[in-house]
Amino acid sequence: MTNNKRITNVIFSAVEEVNGQLPRKQRLEKSIDTILFGKSGKLDSLALVNLIVAVEEKIQEEFGVTVTLADERAMSQTNSPFKSLGTLADYVALLLEGQTNSQG
Amino acid sequence: MRITLHYSWRDRPIHKVENKVILITGTRKGIGRYLVEYYARKGLEVIGCSRNQVDYQFKNYHHFCLDVCDEVKVRDLFAEIRKRYKGLDVLINNAGSASMNHILLTPLKTVQDILNTNFVGTFLFSREAAKLMKKNGYGRIVNFATVASILKLEGESVYASSKAAVINFTQILARELAEFGVTVNAIGPTPIKTDLIRSVPQEKIDGLVGRQAIRRLGTFRDISNVIDFLIQPQSDFITGQVIYLGGVS
C-alpha cells in the first residue's frame, strides 16, 4: 500500500472515531473533499480538536512516529492544513516526509 | 481506570471510578520519590520520570529518563503509556527547580531553566495527558504551585513567577478540560525539607514559616493528603483550585 493510501486510511479511521462522538447531522463523510470547518464545514472547534488528536494517535499506531499536527508551521500557513480532509492528508504526508529525512 | 455501576441513595445509577494509572514527574528524589512509594504501595500502576535513573524500584513502578521540557521525549513517553496501560487516570506535575537569588544576580540561563522545568514541563505533560484522559472521559491533573507566589518572597522572583504561571495555567486548563471529565487543581506547599530549600538560609525559612497560620515545616504526608483528596473520583466537582498548606492565603 502506498504511503498516501495509508495516510488516507489513517485519517478516515480517525473520522470514524470522531463521528462516533458526534450527532448524526454533524458527522463527516469519509472523502478527501470533506470540508472540516468554515462556512461549509460541519465541525465546531472542539470537534476539530478531537479529530486532530485522533489523527495524531492513529499516525503513531500506523507509522510508529509521533507528530504534532498543530505545530508552528501549520498555524503560520496562509491556507490552513485543517481546511479539509484532503489538505489534512497532504500536511500529514509533509510531516512524515520531514520525519523520514531527519532520521535518514 | 475501573468503572462499576453503583446506586446512590436516590436509586440513581452512578459511575464509580477507581484510579489505576498515575504518572508523576520528577521522581528521582524528594516529594516525587515519596509519592512514587506512596502510590505504589497503594497498588496503583505508577509511572515516573526524571533526567537521571532512580536508585529504587517497585514492581508496579516504571521509570523513564527524560527532561520534562523535551517535547519529542515527552510525546514518546505518552505513546508508551497508551500502548502499555491504554490510558492514564492521574498526572502529578511535581518536577520543579528553584534558584533563590536577587534579580541583580540572576543569570538569564537560570530564568530559562526554571521556566522550562516548572512551566513548560507542566504544559507539555498536561497537554499530552489530556489527550489520553479525554478518551476515557476521566482524569485528574494536579500541579505544583508554591506559597512563595502569594507571600511575594524576596529572592524568589523567578521561581515564584514561574509558579504563578502554573496557577493561572491550572485555572484556565480547568475550564478547557472540564467537558472531558478532567479536573485540574494545584497544591501550594510551604517549605518542606527537600533539596529544593537546601541552600536557603535557616533564618529565611524561619521567617517564611512565621508567616504561615500554622507555623511548622510541611511534611510529605501533608502533600499526599491534599493530592489524595484532589484525585479521588468523588472530587469531580472540584477544579481550578489551589490549595495552600499551612494556612497561607
Side-chain angles (χ1 to χ4, degrees), chain A residues 43-57:
Chain A
L43 297 184
D44 59 20
S45 56
L46 188 64
L48 182 65
V49 168
N50 283 335
L51 178 66
I52 290 170
V53 171
V55 172
E56 282 180 355
E57 198 177 298

Side-chain angles (χ1 to χ4, degrees), chain A residues 9-83:
Chain A
N9 285 348
V10 158
I11 290 178
F12 287 172
S13 160
V15 166
E16 267 176 33
E17 186 179 310
V18 173
N19 275 346
Q21 305 155 7
L22 291 171
R24 190 171 293 275
K25 61 180 179 183
Q26 235 185 304
R27 288 180 192 163
L28 297 173
E29 190 191 334
K30 284 191 281 179
S31 154
I32 56 166
D33 298 323
T34 299
I35 302 294
L36 296 177
F37 71 93
K39 269 185 188 163
S40 45
K42 287 183 174 176
L43 297 184
D44 59 20
S45 56
L46 188 64
L48 182 65
V49 168
N50 283 335
L51 178 66
I52 290 170
V53 171
V55 172
E56 282 180 355
E57 198 177 298
K58 291 190 185 296
I59 291 170
Q60 217 284 326
E61 283 166 10
E62 174 68 23
F63 295 93
V65 293
T66 47
V67 295
T68 304
L69 289 174
D71 63 1
E72 281 173 20
R73 196 159 40 157
M75 297 312 182
S76 62
Q77 287 194 5
T78 320
N79 296 315
S80 168
F82 308 130
K83 182 104 184 92

Side-chain angles (χ1 to χ4, degrees), chain B residues 98-131:
Chain B
S99 170
M100 318 300 175
N101 227 336
H102 193 282
I103 184 176
L104 300 182
L105 301 173
T106 304
L108 177 61
K109 178 76 170 61
T110 304
V111 178
Q112 288 163 335
D113 287 347
I114 289 176
L115 287 175
N116 273 340
T117 304
N118 297 356
F119 180 70
V120 177
T122 297
F123 159 76
L124 276 178
F125 273 77
S126 299
R127 186 186 71 186
E128 296 307 313
K131 289 176 186 174

Side-chain angles (χ1 to χ4, degrees), chain B residues 22-25 35 90-95 142 144 227 231:
Chain B
I22 184 170
L23 168 61
I24 304 164
T25 65
L35 291 174
V90 181
L91 165 67
I92 311 290
N93 277 312
N94 162 71
V142 180
F144 268 71
I227 294 177
I231 69 174

Side-chain angles (χ1 to χ4, degrees), chain B:
Chain B
M1 178 178 59
R2 182 184 296 157
I3 302 176
T4 45
L5 272 181
H6 283 249
Y7 287 83
S8 74
W9 60 277
R10 283 181 177 159
D11 281 334
R12 180 170 57 87
I14 52 169
H15 288 94
K16 187 171 186 298
V17 183
E18 189 186 335
N19 291 322
K20 298 294 288 177
V21 184
I22 184 170
L23 168 61
I24 304 164
T25 65
T27 53
R28 195 171 67 81
K29 56 188 182 175
I31 296 169
R33 180 188 173 136
Y34 162 78
L35 291 174
V36 166
E37 184 170 349
Y38 181 77
Y39 287 108
R41 289 193 192 286
K42 277 184 166 230
L44 275 79
E45 293 294 334
V46 185
I47 306 143
C49 64
S50 61
R51 272 184 278 226
N52 299 306
Q53 265 305 344
V54 293
D55 59 3
Y56 59 86
Q57 54 185 8
F58 297 95
K59 70 174 181 13
N60 47 341
Y61 176 67
H62 193 85
H63 190 80
F64 290 80
C65 283
L66 55 80
D67 189 331
V68 289
C69 59
D70 182 334
E71 183 176 21
V72 174
K73 292 257 174 65
V74 171
R75 295 209 58 181
D76 288 346
L77 161 68
F78 277 90
E80 187 62 30
I81 292 174
R82 186 152 51 84
K83 219 181 300 170
R84 195 183 292 210
Y85 302 98
K86 313 287 177 217
L88 178 69
D89 302 318
V90 181
L91 165 67
I92 311 290
N93 277 312
N94 162 71
S97 69
S99 170
M100 318 300 175
N101 227 336
H102 193 282
I103 184 176
L104 300 182
L105 301 173
T106 304
L108 177 61
K109 178 76 170 61
T110 304
V111 178
Q112 288 163 335
D113 287 347
I114 289 176
L115 287 175
N116 273 340
T117 304
N118 297 356
F119 180 70
V120 177
T122 297
F123 159 76
L124 276 178
F125 273 77
S126 299
R127 186 186 71 186
E128 296 307 313
K131 289 176 186 174
L132 275 182
M133 292 169 172
K134 183 176 81 64
K135 284 202 91 158
N136 292 331
Y138 173 86
R140 298 279 179 269
I141 297 176
V142 180
N143 295 328
F144 268 71
T146 171
V147 295
S149 300
I150 45 172
L151 292 179
K152 318 288 186 247
L153 294 183
E154 292 160 50
E156 299 198 13
S157 61
V158 179
Y159 174 68
S161 300
S162 73
K163 293 296 191 178
V166 169
I167 292 171
N168 217 328
F169 180 69
T170 299
Q171 292 161 337
I172 295 175
L173 210 62
R175 290 174 176 270
E176 290 189 359
L177 300 182
E179 61 190 301
F180 303 131
V182 177
T183 66
V184 190
N185 294 287
I187 174 171
T190 59
I192 290 175
K193 273 214 155 84
T194 65
D195 280 359
L196 206 71
I197 63 163
R198 192 184 43 192
S199 58
V200 183
Q202 188 58 45
E203 64 268 23
K204 274 264 182 197
I205 298 292
D206 292 343
L208 204 165
V209 169
R211 294 172 67 184
Q212 298 168 192
I214 303 166
R215 291 172 188 158
R216 66 163 170 83
L217 285 175
T219 64
F220 289 151
R221 187 70 192 90
D222 296 322
I223 303 278
S224 55
N225 178 48
V226 173
I227 294 177
D228 276 344
F229 167 68
L230 293 174
I231 69 174
Q232 63 179 355
Q234 299 93 310
S235 295
D236 59 357
F237 204 42
I238 298 165
T239 195
Q241 305 303 306
V242 185
I243 298 182
Y244 292 103
L245 293 178
V248 174
S249 60

